[in-house]
Structures are given as structure tokens and as C-alpha cells.
Amino acid sequence: QCLTGDMLATDLAEYLVRKGVPFRQTHHISGAAVKMAEDRGCQISDLSVSDLKTLHEAFEDDVLLVWNFEKSVDNRSSIGGTSRVTVQAQIDHLKQWLN
């Protein structure tokens, strides 16, 4: 399969940042979640909230919303990002440049 849960590891780290955890910690916590899933032979998105809470107490039920590939893409809305709006803006800019 092309899309796997570990592709959303950065989204998991960003989730914790929104909960007030410093990114320098969330990066390692997210990596630990990937390792936990690999050790269990499952996808990171198959880990329960209880599993994730063993890595950090900031995980809550809303962490399950992280496992959404389309939302992940659309969250990248800075210049050059992958969101639909940003990509369309890039296309529009290039069309103007070509004309």
C-alpha cells in the first residue's frame, strides 16, 4: 500500500505541539510511536490512545483525528506547501508567468 500511517508521524508530533509539548520532545515521542507500531507489526494509526498515553500524557481521544491523509496535505498551507489552496495559487502564478 502506498499510504501508510508512519507517513503521518510529523502530524502526530504537530498534534503534541498544539497540546503544548515542545517540538524537540514531540519529534522523539512520534519516533517512539513509529517504533512501537513496528515492534507490534501494525500501523501507527492502529495504536490505541492508551498505547500513545504510555509515550506521553498529552495524548487524548482527539489524536485519532490525526490519521487523515487529506487533512495532512491540506494542513501544509505555507508558500510551496501541499494544500489544495496553495497548489492552486502556485498553478495560477505559473499560468500568469507563462502568458
Side-chain angles (χ1 to χ4, degrees):
Q1 184 176 2
C2 295
L3 298 176
T4 59
D6 57 339
M7 295 174 71
L8 298 173
T10 301
D11 297 78
L12 188 64
E14 291 171 350
Y15 165 86
L16 288 171
V17 168
R18 289 190 300 275
K19 296 289 184 177
V21 182
F23 183 77
R24 67 183 172 278
Q25 293 176 20
T26 69
H27 172 75
H28 296 292
I29 296 164
S30 180
V34 170
K35 182 175 181 344
M36 180 185 286
E38 287 176 353
D39 290 348
R40 294 181 181 185
C42 67
Q43 295 293 318
I44 190 173
S45 57
D46 294 329
L47 298 175
S48 70
V49 177
S50 297
D51 293 331
L52 294 171
K53 278 187 174 288
T54 66
L55 302 174
H56 198 281
E57 66 276 359
F59 286 112
E60 298 176 3
D61 289 344
D62 62 343
V63 69
L64 301 177
L65 300 174
V66 167
W67 313 128
N68 182 320
F69 292 102
E70 286 186 32
K71 185 176 178 186
S72 176
V73 169
D74 274 343
N75 283 340
R76 307 296 186 269
S77 59
S78 61
I79 295 174
T82 57
S83 75
R84 291 180 184 134
V85 172
T86 305
V87 170
Q88 187 60 54
Q90 293 172 61
I91 291 169
D92 294 344
H93 177 76
L94 289 173
K95 282 182 179 179
Q96 288 177 350
W97 181 77
L98 288 171
N99 292 326

